[in-house]
Amino acid sequence: LRYQTTEHANIHRAVHYLSEAATSAYEAARVKLQRFINAREAREVIFTSGTTDGINLVMHGWGRKNIKAGDEIILTVLEHHSNIVPWQMLALEKGASLRVVPINDAGELLLDEYEALFNERTRLVCVGHVSNALGSVNPVKKMINFAHARGVPVLVDGAQAAPHLALDVQALDCDFYAFSGHKMCGPTGIGILYGRAALLEAMQPFKGGGDMIHTVTFEKTTYNIIPHKFEAGTPPIAAAIGLGAAVDYLSGIGMAAIAAHEHALLRHATEQLAAVPGVRLLGTARDKAAVLSFAVQGIHPHDVGTLLNTEGVAVRTGHHCAQPLMARLGVVATSRASFAFYNTRSDVDALVAGIRSLQKVFA
């Protein structure tokens, strides 16, 4: 709010007070994000419009330069469309192919199958940290270690992990990590891509324009240093500062405390819904974030969402941008309740009571 009302100016472009104040706040937000994910350096944090933008940045900047005909990219059946479609586009352009890690009926990745997919043509692994549709927490550290032992870099989609888990990209040892601000109490239209400095320096810029250049002539352009090389034009300054404030807020509560509270809610919700006849829980992995997908026998998920809304309960319905996963589960859609640190047991009880009420309507 301070930026928008008293310090509204563009960044990196002037020496007057407003520009310098805005630049300072914007770059301070980058440092907050660096600390939040424990990156080695602030320059490894690229501001993006969200997870999708971050993944596409890697596809264009790293993938188009490094993926060749005959190469293979490993994905998982749990992926959000944002971590599928860009790689399909790249594979089509380059003549590469996608390999997919399957899951068991609980929604857990089969690590033996993952390891069996590797060969001399494997060039990249792209995996979600937490499934947005099922809440499964994937064993990304083991997957990264296995890939790195074979010289293969790993991109992690952290959109669903950032709001629920303490993040440490150095401990994970991932090569790229992307997430969105709006899922973690921040504004929409902002997110970050973490990348190892050496990889970012070697990558092609995704977008061309102002601020991402060092020199420009009609014969040749040289690019700015990272992170600015990947932040062309006027960035979402207010949103970036807002994301920094959101990180301060979450860090003040403590990610360990958030995770403990959410897991308690998840246990309560799982026990309560499992006891309701006609309700099928989808995704029963041993390690889960606070996401609960379910189907109610005889009632379409969209009707479930509509009727729960009349009870004051908001759930997501549909395929959750994970159509390949829905096909694996044998459904076209599910209803999904997501719990956060601000939810309570009474919220869970209202969800369960709402489901029992709508079952009576359809009885």
Side-chain angles (χ1 to χ4, degrees), residues 78-150:
L78 291 172
E79 300 312 307
H80 187 282
H81 294 166
S82 293
N83 207 22
I84 298 175
V85 178
W87 306 115
Q88 284 183 326
M89 295 167 69
L90 181 65
L92 181 63
E93 175 186 334
K94 298 294 186 177
S97 59
L98 307 181
R99 307 294 300 279
V100 182
V101 185
I103 57 172
N104 61 22
D105 291 338
E108 299 166 322
L109 293 177
L110 299 176
L111 286 185
D112 289 347
E113 299 282 349
Y114 165 71
E115 294 174 1
L117 291 177
F118 280 79
N119 57 52
E120 68 280 359
R121 297 182 300 277
T122 306
R123 294 292 177 267
L124 180 67
V125 172
C126 303
V127 57
H129 198 161
V130 174
S131 166
N132 74 300
L134 302 182
S136 305
V137 179
N138 293 321
V140 291
K141 175 60 177 174
K142 290 182 179 179
M143 298 174 75
I144 291 167
N145 289 346
F146 188 88
H148 282 179
R150 286 145 187 83

Side-chain angles (χ1 to χ4, degrees), residues 7-328:
E7 298 175 354
H8 194 272
N10 214 328
I11 60 171
H12 302 148
R13 286 164 171 79
V15 295
H16 60 74
Y17 167 77
L18 291 178
S19 179
E20 290 191 342
T23 299
S24 177
Y26 181 82
E27 292 302 334
R30 194 190 307 278
V31 173
K32 292 176 183 180
L33 270 297
Q34 173 206 351
R35 293 170 179 165
F36 185 72
I37 65 174
N38 193 33
R40 296 169 187 81
E41 307 174 72
R43 67 191 185 121
E44 294 180 316
V45 175
I46 312 298
F47 281 118
T48 67
S49 66
T51 310
T52 300
D53 189 37
I55 293 171
N56 276 271
L57 193 160
V58 177
M59 186 275 276
H60 285 280
W62 187 91
R64 296 184 73 186
K65 186 176 180 181
N66 291 279
I67 299 298
K68 306 292 190 299
D71 287 347
E72 296 179 356
I73 301 168
I74 294 178
L75 311 177
T76 84
V77 75
L78 291 172
E79 300 312 307
H80 187 282
H81 294 166
S82 293
N83 207 22
I84 298 175
V85 178
W87 306 115
Q88 284 183 326
M89 295 167 69
L90 181 65
L92 181 63
E93 175 186 334
K94 298 294 186 177
S97 59
L98 307 181
R99 307 294 300 279
V100 182
V101 185
I103 57 172
N104 61 22
D105 291 338
E108 299 166 322
L109 293 177
L110 299 176
L111 286 185
D112 289 347
E113 299 282 349
Y114 165 71
E115 294 174 1
L117 291 177
F118 280 79
N119 57 52
E120 68 280 359
R121 297 182 300 277
T122 306
R123 294 292 177 267
L124 180 67
V125 172
C126 303
V127 57
H129 198 161
V130 174
S131 166
N132 74 300
L134 302 182
S136 305
V137 179
N138 293 321
V140 291
K141 175 60 177 174
K142 290 182 179 179
M143 298 174 75
I144 291 167
N145 289 346
F146 188 88
H148 282 179
R150 286 145 187 83
V152 177
V154 180
L155 176 147
V156 180
D157 172 354
Q160 292 296 330
H164 303 295
L165 307 176
L167 300 181
D168 187 334
V169 294
Q170 291 191 68
L172 285 178
D173 198 29
C174 57
D175 300 282
F176 301 103
Y177 197 102
F179 61 83
S180 301
H182 71 275
K183 295 181 182 293
M184 44 190 295
C185 302
T188 56
I190 189 69
I192 71 146
L193 171 72
Y194 157 81
R196 293 183 190 274
L199 289 174
L200 293 175
E201 287 173 336
M203 282 167 53
Q204 294 289 109
F206 177 19
K207 302 171 184 175
D211 208 38
M212 52 76 65
I213 59 86
H214 178 61
T215 62
V216 176
T217 69
F218 282 111
E219 290 71 38
K220 184 180 181 181
T221 292
T222 58
Y223 302 129
N224 206 342
I225 60 174
I226 61 170
H228 312 298
K229 180 171 74 169
F230 298 105
E231 296 179 7
T234 298
I237 304 167
I241 296 170
L243 179 54
V247 163
D248 285 342
Y249 178 60
L250 293 177
S251 299
I253 299 170
M255 295 307 296
I258 287 173
H261 177 74
E262 291 177 350
H263 277 110
L265 291 180
L266 180 64
R267 285 194 300 271
H268 179 57
T270 301
E271 292 168 359
Q272 293 298 308
L273 279 181
V276 178
V279 173
R280 174 191 172 196
L281 299 180
L282 297 105
T284 55
R286 286 163 291 182
D287 192 2
K288 281 191 61 172
V291 173
L292 198 60
S293 276
F294 60 93
V296 182
Q297 184 177 356
I299 308 177
H300 193 281
H302 291 169
D303 292 328
V304 171
T306 299
L307 290 170
L308 284 177
N309 179 63
T310 66
E311 301 285 335
V313 177
V315 298
R316 170 79 183 269
T317 61
H319 54 63
H320 313 294
C321 295
Q323 287 180 308
L325 174 59
M326 296 296 109
R328 165 61 179 83

